[in-house]
Amino acid sequence: MAQHTFQAPTGTRDFYPLDAAQRRFLTESWRAASIRHGFEEVDGPTFEHLDLYTVKSGEGIVSELFSFTRAGGERTYALRPEFTPTLARLFAAKANSLPRPTKWFCTPTFFRAERPQRGRLREFLQWNLDIIGDASPAADAELIATCVTMLASLGFTPKDLRVKINHRAALAEWFNRRGIAEAEHAKILTLLDQKGKMPPGDFAHKLAQFGFTPEMAEVFQRGIIRVEIPAGAGGVTVMGEQVTREQVGGAGHADPVDLTFFAEAVRPLAIELAAAGVIDWIDFDLSIVRGLAYYTGMVFEVHEASGAERAVAGGGRYDNLIELFGGPPTPAVGMGMGDVVLALVMKDKGLMPDEGGLLERAGMRPDVFVISNGTPGAEQQLRPLVAALRRAGMHARHTYKTTRNVGKLLKEAADQRAHVAIIIEDEATCSLKVLATGAQQKVSLAEAVGAAKIARVTTAPGVC
RNA sequence: GUGGCCGUAGCUCAGCUGGUAGAGCACGAGGUUGUGAUCCUUGGGGUCGCGGGUUCAAAUCCCGUCGGUCACCCCA
């Protein structure tokens, strides 16, 4: 009978030790930033009733889900494709006893039945961050600031990544003032979303159907708009690119471009972002609209500065969503960041730690590697010393090879990224070597555990 | 779901217009002077993604299929 070989399902990943270390590094970075900003960790089931997802997104979503029924069962379930419905369910169930705002985060796995491509897989991790019960621009800014702080902790700068912010409510109000019917708004948003996938001429032509001039199309193409911030709110007075009537149509044009209203609408948010110290990362950009329906206010995406790669993160305000899932009317703002694009962009920018760095940051490096020099007395002490180190809370390893060549075993200790090597000389003494520096000292075997602890603490590179 | 490109050792690949598989690195074992090096010896590992077809003969040519990748659709 021929052996059958099994492959991992399409769009999934196997996590060998180094991959697992990278995953843990990312999730720990997410966790640390969340906790520093006062968010609490939550989670829910990996699968939910299918209905939970069709409520918000309609039946069309089903083809994008992994759904199933239990053999012999009636109900249909789906592996979770996102966290927001679960979050809304959790909040709605205890809404009366939860504080306002409630600040929650999680870093779980999600599943989408799409064909994988660059930056998109069928199973992935996503950091979710939500502030529920606070309608203020300060909450929007806090969410974005948490996201930015996390990215900065990985080594990104405002030159690497840009946070592009738009405002659905302000756009809608602006459209209304231009006399565009409510029913047309979604079509315009869709058109804006697809702008990058068509020639500029086509885009202008399609926009014209909604009464926009080619000059307005030019404004949307430029995207970034100018927003003035009062001095004293973070010391920044002006941000963004000046778009003047002269640049896009001339002062005498019949339909002059006036974005004053829009700039006024987002200024409170800009002031909060300046106060949070992240204004350097921000562009107010009319071309960011984010997919579908439920956003009601601020929307944002984090992009690699040159526009390469997919969005690293995205989110926005959804003030109707908790209600939609059966809770009391509650304003909320949230975001998600997937691990796949994040890792790609980190590698693009040279910010992904190397093997040693990943093991370090994931907490996987051995504290001590114990070597016997091969004499009978030393050999006898090897296992007791390893055991004693482990009892003392240290990550201790030893070789499984038969050779007792000290040079080879030191190489093995270094290959395994151990911090300290202990070479047992005989039944009573050993040498303790700090591998990073080569410094070596003789100690009695009885003192070895204590000496290793001290060496480990005083030589540990800081984990930031 | 649709299309382009790609599948040879753990990795990077060689193998020409057909003549039943190789290199480097890596890995295992051992040696050399007991300190992360160099060096030497040696070992394991592939029904060439899978299945069919053409042929005396297929890693090589043809078809299908599976997988990967990139793009479209979609992107919560």
Side-chain angles (χ1 to χ4, degrees), chain A residues 226-239 263-264 266-275 279 284:
Chain A
R226 170 192 167 98
V227 177
E228 296 186 8
I229 300 169
V236 182
T237 57
V238 173
M239 59 169 297
E264 290 296 325
V266 299
R267 181 176 294 157
L269 175 58
I271 292 170
E272 292 291 345
L273 289 165
I279 197 72
F284 285 93

Side-chain angles (χ1 to χ4, degrees), chain A residues 216-235:
Chain A
M216 277 312 307
E218 171 71 16
V219 171
F220 283 118
Q221 290 287 359
R222 286 169 174 270
I224 297 171
I225 66 163
R226 170 192 167 98
V227 177
E228 296 186 8
I229 300 169

Side-chain angles (χ1 to χ4, degrees), chain A residues 275-423:
Chain A
V278 297
I279 197 72
D280 292 347
W281 298 69
I282 309 297
D283 294 325
F284 285 93
D285 188 329
L286 292 176
S287 64
I288 298 298
V289 295
R290 284 197 68 67
L292 284 172
Y294 63 73
Y295 290 111
T296 55
M298 180 276 293
V299 291
F300 78 99
E301 287 181 355
V302 178
H303 281 269
E304 196 276 326
S306 72
E309 311 293 356
R310 298 170 179 283
V312 172
R317 177 162 286 282
Y318 42 91
D319 287 344
N320 303 328
L321 207 65
I322 301 291
E323 198 175 355
L324 181 64
F325 285 96
T330 310
V333 60
M335 59 147 276
M337 178 187 293
D339 72 307
V340 183
V341 177
L342 178 63
L344 276 175
V345 176
M346 287 177 73
K347 285 168 185 164
D348 287 349
K349 302 286 181 188
L351 293 175
M352 186 62 80
D354 62 11
E355 183 172 335
L358 283 176
L359 294 178
E360 176 72 46
R361 285 173 165 262
M364 304 286 287
R365 288 181 61 184
D367 297 312
V368 184
F369 192 93
V370 182
I371 295 168
S372 152
N373 69 351
T375 62
E379 207 59 25
Q380 208 168 32
Q381 295 300 325
L382 177 68
R383 289 181 185 281
L385 177 56
V386 169
L389 288 162
R390 290 171 173 167
R391 278 197 301 275
M394 278 180 281
H395 173 175
R397 297 190 188 182
H398 59 84
T399 190
Y400 290 90
K401 301 181 199 291
T402 53
T403 181
R404 287 294 177 266
N405 181 310
V406 172
K408 283 197 171 175
L409 296 178
L410 279 170
K411 174 167 163 38
E412 187 181 2
D415 287 345
Q416 296 196 17
R417 311 281 177 177
H419 287 98
V420 172
I422 292 179
I423 305 155

Side-chain angles (χ1 to χ4, degrees), chain A residues 18-350:
Chain A
L18 210 52
D19 310 306
Q22 178 184 303
R23 179 174 66 175
R24 183 161 292 280
F25 163 49
L26 293 181
T27 54
E28 288 300 315
S29 299
W30 287 338
R31 276 177 58 84
S34 304
I35 290 167
R36 281 203 298 275
H37 288 78
F39 289 78
E40 297 177 291
E41 186 165 22
V42 294
D43 203 352
T46 310
F47 61 95
E48 294 268 9
H49 293 299
L50 178 63
D51 307 347
L52 187 71
Y53 301 115
T54 56
V55 162
K56 188 188 86 181
S57 308
E59 294 294 330
I61 198 71
V62 175
S63 66
E64 310 292 339
L65 300 178
F66 285 103
S67 58
F68 56 95
T69 55
R70 191 174 61 81
E74 308 238 317
R75 302 215 49 168
T76 306
Y77 304 93
L79 296 180
R80 62 182 170 198
E82 58 168 326
F83 193 66
T84 307
T86 300
L87 177 102
R89 189 170 65 69
L90 295 185
F91 185 84
K94 300 203 179 210
N96 291 334
S97 60
L98 290 168
R100 308 297 154 95
T102 288
K103 296 164 64 180
W104 283 347
F105 82 96
C106 59
T107 64
T109 359
F110 295 100
F111 308 87
R112 296 182 185 175
E114 296 172 301
R115 190 113 174 221
Q117 57 188 284
R118 186 172 175 84
R120 296 174 73 177
L121 295 173
R122 288 184 164 180
E123 182 183 26
F124 57 96
L125 289 114
Q126 191 178 82
W127 179 34
N128 283 260
L129 202 57
D130 291 272
I131 301 176
I132 308 163
D134 186 337
S136 71
D140 295 351
E142 182 176 3
L143 187 89
I144 290 169
T146 306
C147 175
V148 167
T149 306
M150 185 270 152
L151 292 167
S153 78
L154 298 178
F156 286 112
T157 71
K159 285 182 176 150
D160 302 314
L161 298 174
R162 302 302 300 170
V163 181
K164 295 179 172 293
I165 300 178
N166 199 350
H167 200 293
R168 284 263 181 108
L171 271 185
E173 176 64 23
W174 187 45
F175 292 163
N176 284 336
R177 291 189 180 200
R178 295 179 56 86
I180 298 170
E182 295 272 357
E184 304 289 292
H185 291 188
K187 294 180 191 170
I188 301 176
L189 294 182
T190 303
L191 185 57
L192 288 178
D193 198 30
Q194 295 172 341
K195 167 175 61 71
K197 292 182 178 174
M198 63 182 83
D202 289 6
F203 176 67
H205 181 69
K206 291 185 176 177
L207 259 188
Q209 296 170 3
F210 302 100
F212 289 99
T213 61
E215 290 72 29
M216 277 312 307
E218 171 71 16
V219 171
F220 283 118
Q221 290 287 359
R222 286 169 174 270
I224 297 171
I225 66 163
R226 170 192 167 98
V227 177
E228 296 186 8
I229 300 169
V236 182
T237 57
V238 173
M239 59 169 297
E241 177 186 346
Q242 177 83 51
V243 180
T244 66
R245 300 177 188 192
E246 289 72 23
Q247 283 175 296
V248 294
H253 195 277
D255 182 17
V257 174
D258 185 355
L259 294 171
T260 307
F261 168 76
F262 191 89
E264 290 296 325
V266 299
R267 181 176 294 157
L269 175 58
I271 292 170
E272 292 291 345
L273 289 165
V278 297
I279 197 72
D280 292 347
W281 298 69
I282 309 297
D283 294 325
F284 285 93
D285 188 329
L286 292 176
S287 64
I288 298 298
V289 295
R290 284 197 68 67
L292 284 172
Y294 63 73
Y295 290 111
T296 55
M298 180 276 293
V299 291
F300 78 99
E301 287 181 355
V302 178
H303 281 269
E304 196 276 326
S306 72
E309 311 293 356
R310 298 170 179 283
V312 172
R317 177 162 286 282
Y318 42 91
D319 287 344
N320 303 328
L321 207 65
I322 301 291
E323 198 175 355
L324 181 64
F325 285 96
T330 310
V333 60
M335 59 147 276
M337 178 187 293
D339 72 307
V340 183
V341 177
L342 178 63
L344 276 175
V345 176
M346 287 177 73
K347 285 168 185 164
D348 287 349
K349 302 286 181 188

